[in-house]
Amino acid sequence: MSTEARLPTVTPLGPDSVAWHVVGDRRLLLGAGTALLLQVAHPVVGAGVHDHSNYTEDPWGRLDRTIDSLLSQVFGGREAVAEAERLREMHKAIKGVDHHGERYHALNPEAYWWVHGSTFWTTVRMHEVFVQPLPDKEKRRFYAEWRRVGLLLGLREHHMPEDLEGFEAYFDDVVANRLEDNHTVRELLRSITMRDTPPPPWWFLPEALWRPVRPAGGNVLTLCAIGLLPPALRERLSLKWTDTDERRLRRLGAITRAAGKRVPDRIRLYPKAYRAKSLDDVH
């Protein structure tokens, strides 16, 4: 059966899902660097991004498209099916030879699932630090839903660990035995510092006003990107992390948790998540 014929048979997530309550909060953007580092440290993903991505030339556009895709997968309803098909079609052309001399393809199920699965892990981790830890029961439901989105994306049942315990063992094994330091990791780490990053196009900030803001933004993104990583991967990438850094991350987490309780949903949530939830409230 073709992918196009099979994908629509998977029911997209709806308002009864845990994912609708844990994805869509703007605070989770603080963990974007961690998610990307986990992904590009996988040799297949790192090679594909190095050879085919333009994120260094258009970092804000690339980030915006990535977030919009994720929100479509969770909140899009039937749009999630179209987004899954678009992603698979786009990834068909992403192939080549990596720096180990091995051929790679972006639709390799191992790599395709790693991107999806590591996003789950990062979302749970970001909630622990910046929102509130998910209760065990909700975390299990969230993982089961994430597998469902994986099926929508074209993965098969056997590509994904069956339950949360299986996923956690799988994740630890990939971190310990599969992830690596590579050119894309180093390029991404430089990009996160925002030293040469232009202002976001939606801010309409002139360079003169953006210049003094940029270092603070880069420091926060770097702190979060490194601090949320599994310690074993931090060590492999030779990333410095001190007790002072840990205290700074905890303080930032306390601030974001407190602020989130006072910010209205219209501002706290991404528009696609807010609209979906608002429509559900109406119905």
Side-chain angles (χ1 to χ4, degrees), residues 7 9 11 49 74 87 121 123 135 137 159 175 193 239 249 261:
L7 289 179
T9 66
T11 305
V49 170
V74 174
L87 285 172
W121 184 91
T123 303
K137 185 177 180 180
H159 294 147
V175 169
T193 66
L239 298 174
L249 182 65
K261 296 174 183 177

Side-chain angles (χ1 to χ4, degrees), residues 30 60 191-197 203 209-225 248 252:
L30 291 168
W60 298 114
S191 177
I192 290 170
T193 66
M194 296 174 59
R195 290 193 186 101
D196 304 311
T197 304
W203 278 13
L209 294 178
W210 171 245
R211 199 176 301 120
V213 174
R214 185 166 48 203
N219 288 340
V220 169
L221 288 179
T222 301
L223 177 76
C224 295
R248 288 173 61 210
L252 179 62

Side-chain angles (χ1 to χ4, degrees), residues 117-230:
S118 60
T119 300
F120 166 82
W121 184 91
T122 308
T123 303
V124 171
R125 179 82 171 105
M126 289 187 295
H127 260 265
E128 291 174 359
V129 177
F130 299 124
V131 185
Q132 63 180 12
L134 293 177
D136 186 69
K137 185 177 180 180
E138 288 193 11
K139 196 187 302 184
R140 292 176 184 280
R141 280 185 57 201
F142 183 32
Y143 178 69
E145 294 163 5
W146 215 245
R147 290 182 87 244
R148 201 163 111 201
V149 177
L151 294 173
L152 191 70
L153 291 169
L155 291 159
R156 307 279 186 157
E157 291 274 1
H158 66 272
H159 294 147
M160 302 175 284
E162 195 171 293
D163 53 26
L164 183 62
E165 286 83 3
F167 172 78
E168 289 173 343
Y170 151 83
F171 181 87
D172 290 344
D173 179 66
V174 173
V175 169
N177 300 306
R178 190 74 168 110
L179 303 189
E180 64 174 17
D181 199 348
N182 57 45
H183 176 82
T184 313
V185 166
R186 292 298 145 184
E187 200 171 51
L188 178 59
L189 285 167
R190 285 193 297 273
S191 177
I192 290 170
T193 66
M194 296 174 59
R195 290 193 186 101
D196 304 311
T197 304
W202 53 87
W203 278 13
F204 305 106
L205 271 182
E207 177 64 27
L209 294 178
W210 171 245
R211 199 176 301 120
V213 174
R214 185 166 48 203
N219 288 340
V220 169
L221 288 179
T222 301
L223 177 76
C224 295
I226 296 174
L228 296 175
L229 283 175

Side-chain angles (χ1 to χ4, degrees), residues 20-27 71 75 131 257 259-281:
W20 266 48
H21 298 283
V22 302
V23 177
D25 192 311
R26 292 182 188 270
R27 287 173 290 179
L71 295 175
F75 298 100
V131 185
R257 288 194 299 273
K261 296 174 183 177
R262 294 169 172 81
V263 175
D265 285 356
R266 183 182 291 275
I267 298 172
R268 183 176 58 82
L269 300 175
Y270 282 102
K272 189 167 285 190
Y274 179 76
R275 286 194 299 270
K277 292 184 177 184
S278 297
L279 286 172
D280 179 58
D281 290 340

